[in-house]
Each structure stands twice: as structure tokens, then as C-alpha cells.
């Protein structure tokens, strides 16, 4: 009798906190999408009326569209660079039993541990000391370093699951290294590559600490622009930008899920 | 060189481009950061450890550091309290609820940090959801100041970082041998007691892994700290930014970055090592 009471109390507490947790996870995204359709001029919630005016306003805001395009270009470049260089490195590291391989692996993973603000500042300092002018290229360089750990982990995990006998077979049957790579290795690690490209793109597109120090007036990126807008005033156009970002991210997730089973990759990270 | 070692090093050939990039754009900058932190003044007129002494003898700077670390600890604890029930329900439920919880956890992980922070501005603001709800229900007479407060910042960061805690805790719970809880149940233990004496101790490695991830992420969350915490709460990331970009005192900013990095990674490694030594349970993910 007493035991079942304690059990019921326990279930109640667990259930309540879980409900609250699930609401907490969902609410902010929902709130952003809802407020982006407000007809009012403040962030008053619930919105006093509904309209698409902030999306229309957004289309006319060159000072937000420019940074968004810069962000897309930088994220694309950083994704390609980190996927190609990181993917090649992951393949090499996975096969090697040398001690040097483990040291390099730790080095490539360390941007994840280091507070990104420190890395951003250190890049600014080194570019200044060497007299290199800040540009989109220096920004891509910084973002690539931040994205590499994801590629190393995810592609590395795919390579670990690859049966080495398949490669040996292909080579012993007379296929060249390049042909074997193209027809055997690459298709088998595709999921890892797609998933890591997806995560790398989001990481770069969303990056603040590195861009904060490396972006100048000509290479302003979207998160920094939005941060600057919100520091000055609570501009409703940010809600429209957020609505667009949420929608595009969900669309990207669906695509990546179809081509690479991303959720399993990220879940098992 | 023997043939064996030649093939072994040839395997590392594809690693060379990335290693070169990391040397130029990661190792070299960090070396520059250390070097710059050792200059006496912003004019780089001589080497001395004066920046570190300046930090250690300045109560304001020390308080900024301890506040930042405390924020990380508080947020990590709050996410821990939310993550366990979520993980328990996840493990006990069927396919549908599992997919739903996975989706809810992935959602904030994939939406941009600025967007998530912006959502909290809408929720906590003067005309925001909490204030309008409390006012219209008659609980509060005047709107409360939730935005630009410490509590608001902790709440926002708790939501933003919850996925980092939920994933490792769920992973450890999934690896827990179900026979152990069934045995405890068969021997007559209540569910609360099973949680406290069987589940919690055995999944502690996952909880500690999550705690460390959230601690580091919350302490370094520049965007959320500045936008939800506001200009009056100064924490290490905004302090570094202000010194580097606002005041242009690069040696002090560099010293601040290194002290902050050492403090955060030091705590993460120390707790990680202690838990590997003293806590036994199912492996964390």
C-alpha cells in the first residue's frame, strides 16, 4: 500500500519534469516561428495581429541579405575544405597504427575542447602580427579549423566500420588505388561524409566566436549582424530571419536524412 | 628505413595537408596568443608576466572568472535535473515517444544559437510570454524584469544546452543492463529506490560527461550571455571581447583568454580524471 504510493509519487515527479522538459525544448522554436508572423511593431506575445510584413521588410533589407549571402559562401567553402582535408586525414588516421597518428588525432580534435573565443582572438593576433589583411579567406580558414573535429569523428567512425578485406580484394583483383577508392571506399563511407558535411555547414553558418574577431565591415556574417541588431534594439526583422533559418534547417535535415541517415550519426556521436 | 616503416608512414600521407593547415592556422596562432600575453603593454615594449599579475591582483577580474565558472556549474546542474526524467521516460517508452523525444532534443541542437537566444528574448521580455501570462492571470501586478537578469540567463542557457546533457544520459541508460532493475524490482524495491541505488550510480559516468559538456558550453556562450544577460552582467567571453576589440589591449585580452581556457579545460580534465578513477558504471558515450 505504502509502496505503491511512493511509486505513484515518483512517477508523478518524473512525468511532470519530463513534460516540462519537452515543453522547454519545443517552446522557443515555436515562439520564434509564431512571432515572425506578427502584425505589430514590437515583440509582444501573443501577437496583436497577423501579417507577413516582416518577411516583406526582410526582402528589402539589403543590410541583412548581404551578410546572409556571405555566411552561405563562407559556410560552403569551410564545409568543402574541412570535408576534403578532414576526410582524407580520417582515412589515413584510421588505417595507421603509428603513435604519431594518435597524436595528430588529438590535435585535430582539440578545437572542440578549446574555448572558441580564445581561438578567434589568437587568429586575429597572428594575422595582425604577420601583416595579413582580414578577408573572406581568413574567415574560411578559421571556420575550417572549427569544423574539422566533426569530420574527423564522423568520417572516422564510418571508416572504422568499413571491412578492410573489401579494399584488399579490389586491389588484388587488379583495380587501381583510385578506382578502389571511388568504387569501394567512397560509397561505403558516404553516410559519414554527408552527415559531417551537414554538421560542418551548420557549425560554420552558426559560428560566432571566430567570426566576431575575424569579420570586418566587408565580410560581415549573419550571426554577428543579428547579434549587433539585437544588442542595439529588439528588431522584429530578426524574427523573420529566424523563421527562414528554422525552415531551411528543417529542409536541410530532411535532405541529409534521406541521403545520409544523419539523426543516427549525430545520436551516436 | 625498413620497408615496413615506409608503408606505415606512407599511410599517413593523406593526413599531411590537414596537418599543415593545423600547424599554420591552429598551432601557430595559439603560440602567438601565448607570446602576446607576455608583453608588458599594448605597445609590445617588452616581455614580462605583468598581465597575469594584473589579473590575479584585480578583484573585479577574479569575480568575472568565478561568476563565469559558477554560471557553467549552475546551468549544468539544471540540465542534469531535467535530463534524467526525460531519459527515464525515453528508455521506458515505445517507438513513437522515442522518436518524438529524439526530434525534440535535435531541434534546439540544429537551430542556430542566435535564433534560440532570440526566442528567449521574446519569452522573457517586458511584453513577453511569461510577463503577459502572469499579468493577465493576476499573479503579478507589474511586469517583472526577467530579461537582462542572472535567472533569465540561467533559464535560457538551460534550454539551449539541455541536448548536450540529454544525449549522454540517454546513451548510458540504454546501455544499463535491464536485468539489474528487474532484479531490484523483484526483490521489492520501490521505483524511487531503484533509481537512487541502481540506476543513478551506474549511469553516473554519462551524467558526468554531460555535466562537463554543458559546463564548458554554458561558460563560453558569448551570444546568450550578452543578449539575455545584458550589458550589466560581465562574464569572461564578453570581458575578453571588450578588452580585445573595445580597448584594444591585446596582451591583457590574450592573458584573459589563456586564463579562461586553462580554468575551463582544467576543471573538465580534473573532474573527468577523478570520475574515471572513482566512479564505476556503464561506459559513457
Amino acid at each position: 500500500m505504502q509502496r505503491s504510493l511512493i511509486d505513484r509519487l515518483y512517477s508523478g515527479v518524473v512525468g511532470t519534469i519530463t513534460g516540462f522538459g519537452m515543453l522547454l525544448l519545443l517552446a522557443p522554436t515555436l515562439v520564434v516561428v509564431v512571432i515572425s508572423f506578427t502584425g505589430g511593431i514590437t515583440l509582444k506575445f501573443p501577437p496583436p495581429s497577423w501579417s507577413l510584413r516582416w518577411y516583406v521588410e526582410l526582402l528589402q533589407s539589403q543590410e541583412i541579405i548581404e551578410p546572409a549571402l556571405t555566411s552561405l559562401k563562407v559556410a560552403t567553402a569551410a564545409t568543402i575544405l574541412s570535408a576534403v582535408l578532414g576526410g582524407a586525414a580520417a582515412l589515413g588516421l584510421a588505417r595507421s597504427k603509428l603513435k604519431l597518428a594518435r597524436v595528430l588525432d588529438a590535435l585535430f580534435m582539440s578545437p572542440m575542447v578549446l574555448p572558441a573565443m580564445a581561438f578567434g582572438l589568437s587568429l586575429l593576433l597572428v594575422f595582425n602580427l604577420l601583416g595579413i589583411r582580414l578577408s573572406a579567406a581568413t574567415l574560411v580558414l578559421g571556420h575550417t579549423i572549427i569544423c574539422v573535429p566533426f569530420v574527423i569523428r564522423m568520417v572516422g567512425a564510418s571508416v572504422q566500420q568499413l571491412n578492410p578485406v573489401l579494399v584488399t580484394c579490389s586491389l588484388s583483383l587488379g583495380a587501381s588505388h583510385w578506382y578502389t577508392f571511388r568504387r569501394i571506399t567512397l560509397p561505403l563511407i558516404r553516410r559519414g561524409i554527408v552527415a559531417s558535411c551537414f554538421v560542418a555547414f551548420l557549425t560554420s553558418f552558426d559560428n560566432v566566436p571566430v567570426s566576431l574577431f575575424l569579420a570586418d565591415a566587408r565580410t560581415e556574417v549573419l550571426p554577428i549582424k543579428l547579434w549587433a541588431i539585437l544588442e542595439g534594439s529588439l528588431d522584429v526583422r530578426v524574427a523573420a530571419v529566424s523563421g527562414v533559418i528554422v525552415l531551411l534547417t528543417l529542409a536541410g535535415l530532411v535532405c541529409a536524412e534521406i541521403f545520409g541517415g544523419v539523426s543516427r550519426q549525430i545520436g551516436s556521436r | 628505413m625498413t620497408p615496413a616503416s615506409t608503408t606505415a608512414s606512407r599511410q599517413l600521407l593523406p593526413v599531411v595537408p590537414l596537418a599543415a593547415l593545423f600547424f599554420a592556422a591552429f598551432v601557430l596562432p595559439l603560440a602567438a596568443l601565448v607570446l602576446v600575453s607576455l608583453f608588458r603593454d599594448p605597445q609590445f615594449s617588452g616581455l614580462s608576466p605583468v598581465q597575469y599579475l594584473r589579473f590575479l591582483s584585480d578583484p573585479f577580474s577574479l569575480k568575472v572568472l568565478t561568476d563565469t565558472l559558477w554560471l557553467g556549474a549552475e546551468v549544468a546542474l539544471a540540465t542534469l535535473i531535467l535530463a534524467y526524467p526525460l531519459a527515464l521516460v525515453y528508455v521506458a517508452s515505445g517507438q513513437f515517444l522515442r522518436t518524438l523525444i529524439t526530434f525534440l532534443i535535435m531541434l534546439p541542437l540544429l537551430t542556430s544559437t542566435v535564433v534560440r537566444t532570440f526566442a528567449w528574448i521574446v519569452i522573457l521580455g517586458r511584453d513577453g510570454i511569461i510577463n503577459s501570462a502572469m499579468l493577465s492571470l493576476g499573479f503579478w501586478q507589474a511586469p517583472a524584469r526577467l530579461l537582462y537578469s542572472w535567472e533569465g540567463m540561467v533559464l535560457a542557457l538551460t534550454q539551449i544546452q539541455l541536448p548536450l546533457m540529454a544525449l549522454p544520459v540517454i546513451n548510458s541508460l540504454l546501455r544499463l543492463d535491464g536485468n539489474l532493475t528487474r532484479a531490484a524490482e523483484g526483490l521489492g524495491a520501490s521505483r524511487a529506490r531503484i533509481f537512487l541505488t541502481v540506476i543513478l550510480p551506474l549511469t553516473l559516468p554519462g551524467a558526468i560527461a554531460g555535466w562537463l559538456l554543458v559546463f564548458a558550453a554554458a561558460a563560453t556562450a558569448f551570444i546568450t550571455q550578452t543578449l539575455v544577460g545584458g550589458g550589466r552582467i560581465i562574464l569572461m567571453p564578453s570581458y575578453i571581447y571588450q578588452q580585445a576589440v573595445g580597448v584594444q589591449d591585446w596582451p591583457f585580452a590574450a592573458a584573459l583568454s589563456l586564463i579562461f581556457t586553462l580554468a575551463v579545460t582544467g576543471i573538465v580534465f580534473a573532474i573527468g580524471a577523478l570520475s574515471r578513477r572513482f566512479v564505476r558504471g556503464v561506459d559513457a558515450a
Side-chain angles (χ1 to χ4, degrees):
Chain A
M1 187 61 199
Q2 200 197 356
R3 211 194 102 196
S4 77
L5 188 70
I6 294 176
D7 272 357
R8 248 182 289 165
L9 194 70
Y10 171 79
S11 307
V13 170
V14 168
T16 311
I17 300 180
T18 304
F20 179 69
M22 287 167 78
L23 182 73
L24 198 64
L25 286 169
L26 179 66
T29 313
L30 219 54
V31 163
V32 164
V33 175
V34 170
I35 199 87
S36 70
F37 294 108
T38 185
I41 53 163
T42 63
L43 296 173
K44 190 171 168 51
F45 203 95
S49 62
W50 305 97
S51 85
L52 287 171
R53 61 184 287 192
W54 296 107
Y55 285 93
V56 175
E57 194 116 337
L58 184 62
L59 286 175
Q60 294 154 357
S61 306
Q62 205 55 38
E63 77 271 23
I64 292 180
I65 294 175
E66 285 286 340
L69 291 177
T70 309
S71 273
L72 285 176
K73 283 180 210 155
V74 168
T76 308
T79 303
I80 293 172
L81 257 179
S82 61
V84 172
L85 297 181
L91 276 170
L93 291 178
R95 288 184 202 138
S96 177
K97 288 180 183 67
L98 294 178
K99 200 171 183 185
L100 178 65
R102 283 204 302 278
V103 175
L104 285 172
D105 185 65
L107 173 68
F108 297 151
M109 290 308 290
S110 48
M112 243 179 176
V113 189
L114 188 79
M117 294 281 296
F119 175 56
L121 176 63
S122 74
L123 277 177
L124 175 71
L125 295 179
V126 88
F127 289 142
N128 263 285
L129 292 177
L130 298 177
I132 298 170
R133 282 191 50 199
L134 295 182
S135 64
T138 53
L139 197 57
V140 168
L141 210 58
H143 281 207
T144 304
I145 301 284
I146 297 281
C147 295
V148 159
F150 298 104
V151 179
I152 294 284
R153 265 301 155 269
M154 291 174 149
V155 176
S158 295
V159 178
Q160 293 290 343
Q161 286 165 9
L162 177 75
N163 189 346
V165 174
L166 295 173
V167 173
T168 319
C169 277
S170 166
L171 291 176
S172 70
L173 288 170
S176 69
H177 277 278
W178 172 238
Y179 187 85
T180 306
F181 173 73
R182 227 161 23 96
R183 299 301 297 269
I184 309 289
T185 313
L186 203 55
L188 286 171
I189 62 170
R190 197 195 68 202
R191 277 169 182 276
I193 295 174
V194 173
S196 63
C197 282
F198 180 70
V199 174
F201 189 89
L202 286 182
T203 305
S204 165
F205 191 77
D206 193 31
N207 180 278
V208 168
V210 173
S211 309
L212 199 58
F213 292 104
L214 295 188
D216 59 9
R218 283 169 302 120
T219 56
E220 196 168 36
V221 290
L222 189 61
I224 305 293
K225 179 71 189 174
L226 296 181
W227 173 72
I229 291 177
L230 287 174
E231 269 235 316
S233 66
L234 300 181
D235 190 331
V236 190
R237 281 181 307 175
V238 177
V241 182
S242 303
V244 174
I245 293 178
V246 168
L247 201 73
L248 288 182
T249 311
L250 284 179
L253 182 63
V254 171
C255 287
E257 188 69 44
I258 293 169
F259 291 110
V262 168
S263 62
R264 252 175 306 156
Q265 296 278 343
I266 297 173
S268 66
R269 186 168 70 192
Chain B
M1 222 186 239
T2 62
S5 76
T6 323
T7 28
S9 17
R10 192 175 295 152
Q11 279 178 334
L12 279 182
L13 214 56
V15 187
V16 172
L18 189 66
L21 179 74
F22 259 67
F23 179 76
F26 188 72
V27 178
L28 199 64
L30 290 183
L33 189 69
V34 175
L35 179 69
V36 169
S37 78
L38 291 170
F39 278 111
R40 189 176 299 134
D41 51 44
Q43 286 73 44
F44 293 171
S45 61
L47 294 173
S48 103
V50 70
Q51 306 298 343
Y52 295 91
L53 298 175
R54 183 174 150 197
F55 178 88
L56 292 173
S57 60
D58 176 21
F60 173 77
S61 299
L62 286 172
K63 182 153 178 358
V64 172
L65 179 64
T66 49
D67 279 354
T68 312
L69 299 176
W70 180 243
L71 174 73
E74 232 174 274
V75 171
L77 188 65
T79 54
L80 188 63
I81 293 169
L82 287 171
Y84 258 103
L86 205 60
L88 287 169
V89 170
Y90 178 91
V91 175
S93 37
Q95 196 55 50
F96 172 74
L97 208 55
R98 279 192 181 196
T99 313
L100 179 70
I101 293 177
T102 311
F103 174 75
L104 286 178
I105 291 174
M106 302 286 289
L107 194 64
L109 211 55
L110 296 176
T111 34
S112 139
T113 320
V114 187
V115 174
R116 284 185 268 169
T117 302
F118 173 71
W120 281 99
I121 294 177
V122 179
I123 295 170
L124 298 172
R126 225 185 123 77
D127 296 326
I129 299 173
I130 296 182
N131 267 325
S132 15
M134 287 309 200
L135 287 173
S136 61
L137 290 173
F139 286 127
W140 293 349
Q141 303 307 318
R145 189 193 162 86
L146 304 167
L147 195 60
Y148 312 134
S149 73
W150 180 272
E151 292 73 20
M153 186 170 63
V154 171
L155 183 62
L157 279 170
T158 300
Q159 187 267 337
I160 290 171
Q161 311 296 354
L162 182 54
L164 292 182
M165 178 65 86
L167 289 175
V169 171
I170 287 179
N171 270 334
S172 323
L173 269 172
L174 284 174
R175 287 175 195 209
L176 185 69
D177 185 357
N179 286 326
L180 296 173
T181 49
R182 274 192 289 277
E185 209 178 341
L187 291 168
S190 71
R191 278 161 75 181
R193 188 154 172 213
I194 295 173
F195 175 73
L196 286 175
T197 56
V198 179
I199 298 177
L200 189 61
L202 286 173
T203 54
L204 214 50
I208 293 172
W211 195 92
L212 294 175
L213 281 174
V214 175
F215 166 76
T220 54
F222 175 77
I223 288 280
T224 315
Q225 288 172 6
T226 50
L227 292 182
V228 181
R232 264 191 274 170
I233 298 174
I234 296 189
L235 296 168
M236 283 306 271
S238 52
Y239 195 32
I240 295 169
Y241 178 70
Q242 178 213 334
Q243 290 299 318
V245 177
V247 188
Q248 300 255 324
D249 187 344
W250 286 351
F252 191 52
L256 284 178
S257 312
L258 286 168
I259 290 168
F260 185 44
T261 303
L262 281 181
V264 172
T265 50
I267 289 175
V268 169
F269 280 115
I271 295 183
L274 282 177
S275 83
R276 271 192 298 281
R277 180 116 167 69
F278 294 110
V279 181
R280 271 191 282 170
V282 289
D283 272 345

